Amino acid sequence: MGRKEFYWYYKLHATTAIFPTRSDGKLSKYKHLGKAGSQTYIDAIEQITARTRIEALDRSIEALRQGLKDLVEETSKYNKE
């Protein structure tokens, strides 16, 4: 009889090949992370979390810039009247 155990592993999947392979250094769309809790998995989660925070900060900065631009435009209209 065959084995009836399940093995869960994680991998990153990109839309384009960006991950270097171990054997020949070519690029791949996939990066094997192994089981949850492995050091590679933990490092990837930390990197994804950092990227998510940076993207949120970028969105906040852009919203503040747009708000400042709108405020300056409204203020200049008010001062002309």
Side-chain angles (χ1 to χ4, degrees):
M1 293 193 125
R3 296 177 64 182
K4 294 187 179 188
E5 296 178 34
F6 292 96
Y7 176 71
W8 291 90
Y9 71 93
Y10 294 86
K11 66 180 176 181
L12 293 176
H13 179 191
T15 54
T16 59
I18 60 171
F19 303 112
T21 58
R22 286 190 217 172
S23 58
D24 56 10
K26 291 182 181 178
L27 297 179
S28 171
K29 288 184 180 181
Y30 305 98
K31 179 174 181 172
H32 179 77
L33 301 177
K35 295 190 296 184
S38 69
Q39 191 59 49
T40 305
Y41 174 85
I42 292 169
D43 292 344
I45 295 299
E46 287 174 350
Q47 291 169 1
I48 290 168
T49 302
R51 181 179 67 194
T52 302
R53 288 180 180 159
I54 291 168
E55 289 170 348
L57 288 170
D58 285 342
R59 287 190 304 272
S60 297
I61 290 168
E62 186 54 37
L64 289 169
R65 284 184 178 149
Q66 187 61 45
L68 178 60
K69 179 182 173 189
D70 293 345
L71 181 63
V72 168
E73 288 175 4
E74 288 298 316
T75 303
S76 66
K77 288 179 188 176
Y78 177 76
N79 288 338
K80 289 181 181 179
E81 294 177 0

